[in-house]
Amino acid sequence: MSIEMLRKSNPLIHCMTNVVVTNFTANGLLAVGASPVMAYAKEEVADMAKVANALLLNIGTLSAESIDNMIIAGKAANKAGAPVVLDPVGAGATVFRTESCKRILKEVDVTIVRGNGGEIAALSDQAGTVKGVDGSIDSDPVELAKHAANVLNSAVVVTGEVDVVTDGTGTVCGYNGHPWLTKVVGTGCLSGAIVAAFASLKTDDFLEVIGYGLVAYGVAAEKAYEETKAKGYGSFQTAFLNQLGRLTDEDVKQHGRFERS
Amino acid sequence: MSIEMLRKSNPLIHCMTNVVVTNFTANGLLAVGASPVMAYAKEEVADMAKVANALLLNIGTLSAESIDNMIIAGKAANKAGAPVVLDPVGAGATVFRTESCKRILKEVDVTIVRGNGGEIAALSDQAGTVKGVDGSIDSDPVELAKHAANVLNSAVVVTGEVDVVTDGTGTVCGYNGHPWLTKVVGTGCLSGAIVAAFASLKTDDFLEVIGYGLVAYGVAAEKAYEETKAKGYGSFQTAFLNQLGRLTDEDVKQHGRFERS
Amino acid sequence: MSIEMLRKSNPLIHCMTNVVVTNFTANGLLAVGASPVMAYAKEEVADMAKVANALLLNIGTLSAESIDNMIIAGKAANKAGAPVVLDPVGAGATVFRTESCKRILKEVDVTIVRGNGGEIAALSDQAGTVKGVDGSIDSDPVELAKHAANVLNSAVVVTGEVDVVTDGTGTVCGYNGHPWLTKVVGTGCLSGAIVAAFASLKTDDFLEVIGYGLVAYGVAAEKAYEETKAKGYGSFQTAFLNQLGRLTDEDVKQHGRFERS
């Protein structure tokens, strides 16, 4: 599993995401070597989902209609055998968000749910508070993720200070990243899109490939921070896209900090 | 009143804004130390507005439905005692925009209306012309703002060469900023979001806190211009986010040009 | 025909475009000296279109409703004599996209259709494949464009390795640009907006003015690449906006590569 493999594969990622992060998500996917396509209308989402290599459902600026359309797309992706990633932005912040995620999870076979601790906690009936889009939690993210995977019957990625991916049994933790990621909107949402891109790769070891993607993402952030710490968040955002585009497997090998359990 | 106070307060700003500027607004709010949250659906806007510290209603890419939802959110913010900022983008350019603003102003207790001269003139039945989103006016912005505050029964911020905030009686003028702000889309809209963030601070002197926010914003723009004038508008946008994130009260003290009357 | 002429003219470009590229399109138009205005609602699109100097219809994130509203705007622009540019993003990728473009072309007098080879091929019943938003084709783009212009009864711009504009008889080819444009989302969509801006200029030689715009755009990309090739796609995007803002007719004279036939 590697960045090079992702670039060679050049997967088409069908993104149904929120209006805040659409552009950044597309540019981030292009940088890592995937091809983004955004399509939202009920008349076409099934057609797009069935030709895509993965589907991202991000509820950040949901409406009743967009959830309906996500379910149509999700079912088409299921039928086509493409992985579906759900990003439950703001789950727990409003009842509508929590219930909409539960509707999706009930009707679609979601491959991976990716959220911050608060969102994953809210979805899996564990304690947690969500403030805006940067929910933090008190509990151990590994335990949180494993419990959520079992409750939600899907793999779970919890991103934060530690990034965790689990299928409910095995776990990969990644320790890369930088706090400045929280000062650029959409870095969490983009990580969900990157997870979708890595999930599209054929592999026998699902946890490794997703863990690799999370760590690669964190390494790019660390390198971007080193370049721009004297400048600020605007330059960091630009450098982060640069680094996602230039990142090599050698970089990940050298700087990546994984732990498998 | 200060940038430091804003950063410590870390207010949650519920933004219902236009699709052109959503990302830039969120990043600008993060840079100054606020937490943006975007939520638009009728099923959740009241829930979000009542936990937020301020609400921004920006009609830049309005629809009949989005105005309905803004009114739901505005009423919830009113009930919760949170300030509501209306940004009447393009008021005067089409009847639909002018009338939609008037609907909001009738149904919601708007704390501050922030616009350029042309928009504020159009809303308060004063002469003025609006071209696209960069409306310029012939009249004195202080008189325009004061008259508008009385007609609209709300505080008014007019931004432009001079930035003015008034409650209809007292006035603070700010003289910072730079013409390159007009070459980056969303800088006016972001100033409305920044006004909302400063309005969320508890203070006995409303005009001072808003005036401080406007001047701080202008100082950041001046510093960004100095860094990037040989490069261009793209670099200016990046540097402006950098400066918003690095801005200190010492910067504002040193470079800010206020006038109270 | 020149960049200077465009800047003096400062045309108002009414953009109905997709949520992925809205911000970038607006900033690109500002950089070249046009004034963007985004308006989507059925209640106002006719009012906006009739005061604008050109109308851009980009179906990138279409819905049934947005197509209806584009048709209302298109008819108003036709009545006002303003040029209408259609950007058929993803035509061929789904039936809904292809059919929606055909609806627009049937109901609106479209001045120019701008797409990549795959999109233009799909619309004009020529062979071609579209993957995501970066459709590539096997056939000669000049022949493709000329045939499409005759089938669609409108001028056609095909952008790609070679940029072509044709009215079905005469042709201008432009040979500027850089592959990194395909690594920044929205550069194709922005070229459609730039085409709309140049189309708004009064001229006796339509092909020359559009060809000039395409080549100027490509020259800006080449200069941006030279500045940022060691950095990456994020910096390239920023530098491209810088270059669009700083571009002079002298630059185009020096670096532009045209061919008229």
Side-chain angles (χ1 to χ4, degrees):
Chain A
M1 288 311 120
S2 70
I3 289 276
E4 284 316 309
M5 201 175 300
L6 183 68
R7 292 204 175 110
K8 266 178 213 151
S9 166
N10 181 222
L12 182 66
I13 312 302
H14 178 189
C15 302
M16 298 180 71
T17 189
N18 70 73
V19 296
V20 191
V21 307
T22 332
N23 182 273
F24 184 64
T25 299
N27 278 325
L29 284 172
L30 284 171
V32 297
S35 282
V37 66
M38 274 67 179
Y40 300 91
K42 66 175 180 295
E43 291 87 349
E44 69 165 356
V45 287
D47 287 348
M48 199 63 94
K50 73 185 178 198
V51 298
N53 301 104
L55 173 65
L56 172 69
L57 305 178
N58 174 309
I59 69 153
T61 50
L62 78 173
S63 67
E65 191 190 345
S66 72
I67 298 296
D68 289 345
N69 297 352
M70 286 182 188
I71 290 170
I72 297 171
K75 287 179 174 174
N78 284 167
K79 211 170 161 184
V84 178
V85 174
L86 171 65
D87 194 329
V89 180
T94 67
V95 172
F96 184 52
R97 289 179 184 242
T98 312
E99 292 306 313
S100 294
C101 291
K102 290 185 175 174
R103 265 187 69 206
I104 292 171
L105 285 159
K106 192 177 165 193
E107 304 225 23
V108 176
D109 184 4
V110 171
T111 316
I112 306 173
V113 182
R114 185 225 67 94
N116 61 36
E119 292 157 353
I120 297 299
L123 268 192
S124 56
D125 305 315
Q126 300 180 70
T129 58
V130 177
K131 186 191 178 190
V133 291
D134 43 4
S136 52
I137 49 157
D138 292 329
S139 49
D140 174 20
V142 172
E143 290 312 308
L144 176 80
K146 281 173 108 165
H147 184 71
N150 289 306
V151 169
L152 302 174
N153 199 25
S154 122
V156 166
V157 171
V158 174
T159 54
E161 210 170 324
V162 181
D163 297 325
V164 183
V165 55
T166 181
D167 57 6
T169 309
T171 303
V172 173
C173 287
Y175 297 92
N176 294 89
H178 193 274
W180 276 26
L181 285 171
T182 66
K183 303 302 277 185
V184 175
V185 80
T187 52
C189 296
L190 175 55
S191 81
I194 300 288
V195 162
F198 276 91
S200 76
L201 299 178
K202 302 289 170 214
T203 171
D204 292 335
D205 191 338
F206 176 79
L207 293 178
E208 186 185 301
V209 72
I210 302 300
Y212 194 94
L214 293 168
V215 164
Y217 194 78
V219 169
E222 291 170 8
K223 292 168 74 81
Y225 173 74
E226 285 307 316
E227 275 182 16
T228 57
K229 61 186 167 189
K231 291 181 180 166
Y233 309 134
S235 293
F236 173 74
Q237 180 181 3
T238 299
F240 185 50
L241 288 174
N242 288 345
Q243 292 293 349
L244 285 177
R246 284 160 45 198
L247 200 69
T248 64
D249 290 314
E250 186 55 36
D251 291 327
V252 180
K253 197 176 166 187
Q254 198 176 331
H255 301 289
R257 299 191 297 284
F258 295 86
E259 190 173 54
R260 185 156 194 157
S261 58
Chain B
M1 287 311 120
S2 71
I3 289 275
E4 284 317 310
M5 201 174 301
L6 183 67
R7 293 204 176 111
K8 265 179 216 152
S9 167
N10 181 222
L12 182 66
I13 312 301
H14 178 190
C15 302
M16 299 179 71
T17 189
N18 70 75
V19 295
V20 191
V21 306
T22 332
N23 182 273
F24 184 64
T25 299
N27 278 325
L29 285 171
L30 284 171
V32 298
S35 283
V37 66
M38 274 64 178
Y40 300 91
K42 64 176 182 294
E43 291 87 350
E44 70 165 357
V45 287
D47 286 349
M48 199 63 93
K50 74 186 180 198
V51 298
N53 300 105
L55 173 66
L56 172 69
L57 305 177
N58 174 309
I59 68 151
T61 49
L62 78 172
S63 67
E65 190 190 345
S66 73
I67 298 297
D68 288 345
N69 297 353
M70 286 183 188
I71 289 170
I72 296 171
K75 287 180 174 174
N78 284 166
K79 209 167 160 187
V84 178
V85 174
L86 171 65
D87 194 328
V89 180
T94 66
V95 171
F96 184 54
R97 290 179 184 242
T98 312
E99 292 307 312
S100 294
C101 290
K102 289 185 176 174
R103 266 187 68 206
I104 293 172
L105 285 159
K106 192 178 166 192
E107 304 226 23
V108 176
D109 184 4
V110 170
T111 317
I112 306 173
V113 183
R114 187 226 66 96
N116 61 36
E119 291 157 354
I120 297 299
L123 267 192
S124 58
D125 305 315
Q126 300 180 68
T129 57
V130 178
K131 186 191 177 193
V133 291
D134 43 4
S136 53
I137 48 158
D138 292 329
S139 50
D140 174 20
V142 172
E143 289 313 307
L144 177 81
K146 281 173 107 164
H147 184 71
N150 288 307
V151 169
L152 302 173
N153 198 25
S154 122
V156 167
V157 170
V158 175
T159 54
E161 210 170 325
V162 181
D163 298 324
V164 182
V165 54
T166 181
D167 58 6
T169 310
T171 304
V172 173
C173 288
Y175 298 93
N176 294 90
H178 192 274
W180 276 26
L181 286 170
T182 66
K183 303 302 278 184
V184 175
V185 80
T187 52
C189 296
L190 176 55
S191 82
I194 300 287
V195 161
F198 276 91
S200 76
L201 299 177
K202 302 290 170 213
T203 169
D204 293 334
D205 191 338
F206 176 79
L207 294 179
E208 188 185 301
V209 72
I210 302 300
Y212 193 93
L214 293 169
V215 163
Y217 194 77
V219 169
E222 291 170 7
K223 291 166 75 80
Y225 173 75
E226 285 306 316
E227 275 182 15
T228 57
K229 60 186 168 189
K231 292 182 179 164
Y233 309 135
S235 293
F236 173 73
Q237 180 182 3
T238 299
F240 184 51
L241 288 174
N242 287 346
Q243 291 294 348
L244 286 176
R246 284 159 47 197
L247 200 70
T248 65
D249 290 315
E250 186 56 34
D251 291 326
V252 180
K253 197 176 166 186
Q254 199 176 330
H255 300 289
R257 299 191 299 283
F258 295 84
E259 191 174 52
R260 186 158 193 155
S261 59
Chain C
M1 286 314 118
S2 72
I3 289 277
E4 283 317 310
M5 203 175 299
L6 183 67
R7 292 204 175 110
K8 264 178 213 153
S9 168
N10 182 221
L12 182 66
I13 312 302
H14 177 188
C15 302
M16 299 179 72
T17 189
N18 69 74
V19 295
V20 191
V21 306
T22 333
N23 182 274
F24 185 63
T25 299
N27 278 325
L29 285 172
L30 284 170
V32 297
S35 283
V37 66
M38 275 66 178
Y40 299 91
K42 66 176 182 293
E43 292 87 350
E44 69 166 357
V45 286
D47 287 350
M48 201 61 95
K50 74 186 180 198
V51 299
N53 300 105
L55 173 65
L56 173 69
L57 305 177
N58 175 310
I59 68 151
T61 51
L62 78 172
S63 67
E65 191 190 346
S66 71
I67 298 296
D68 289 345
N69 297 351
M70 285 182 189
I71 290 170
I72 296 171
K75 287 180 173 174
N78 284 167
K79 210 170 162 184
V84 178
V85 174
L86 171 64
D87 194 330
V89 179
T94 67
V95 171
F96 184 53
R97 289 178 185 243
T98 313
E99 292 306 312
S100 294
C101 290
K102 290 184 175 174
R103 265 188 69 206
I104 293 172
L105 284 159
K106 193 179 165 191
E107 303 226 23
V108 175
D109 184 4
V110 171
T111 316
I112 306 174
V113 182
R114 185 225 69 92
N116 61 37
E119 291 156 355
I120 297 298
L123 267 191
S124 56
D125 305 315
Q126 301 181 69
T129 57
V130 177
K131 186 189 179 194
V133 291
D134 43 6
S136 51
I137 48 157
D138 292 330
S139 50
D140 173 20
V142 172
E143 289 313 306
L144 177 81
K146 280 172 108 164
H147 184 71
N150 288 307
V151 170
L152 302 174
N153 199 25
S154 121
V156 166
V157 171
V158 175
T159 54
E161 210 171 324
V162 180
D163 298 324
V164 182
V165 54
T166 181
D167 57 7
T169 309
T171 303
V172 173
C173 288
Y175 297 92
N176 295 90
H178 192 274
W180 276 26
L181 286 171
T182 67
K183 303 302 278 184
V184 175
V185 80
T187 52
C189 296
L190 176 55
S191 81
I194 300 289
V195 162
F198 276 91
S200 76
L201 299 179
K202 301 292 171 211
T203 169
D204 293 334
D205 192 340
F206 176 78
L207 294 179
E208 186 184 302
V209 72
I210 302 301
Y212 194 94
L214 293 169
V215 163
Y217 195 76
V219 169
E222 291 170 9
K223 292 166 75 82
Y225 173 75
E226 284 307 316
E227 276 182 15
T228 57
K229 59 187 168 188
K231 292 182 179 165
Y233 310 135
S235 293
F236 173 73
Q237 180 181 3
T238 299
F240 184 51
L241 288 174
N242 287 346
Q243 292 293 349
L244 285 177
R246 283 159 48 197
L247 198 70
T248 63
D249 290 313
E250 186 54 35
D251 292 326
V252 180
K253 197 176 166 187
Q254 199 177 330
H255 301 288
R257 298 191 299 283
F258 295 86
E259 190 173 54
R260 185 155 194 159
S261 58

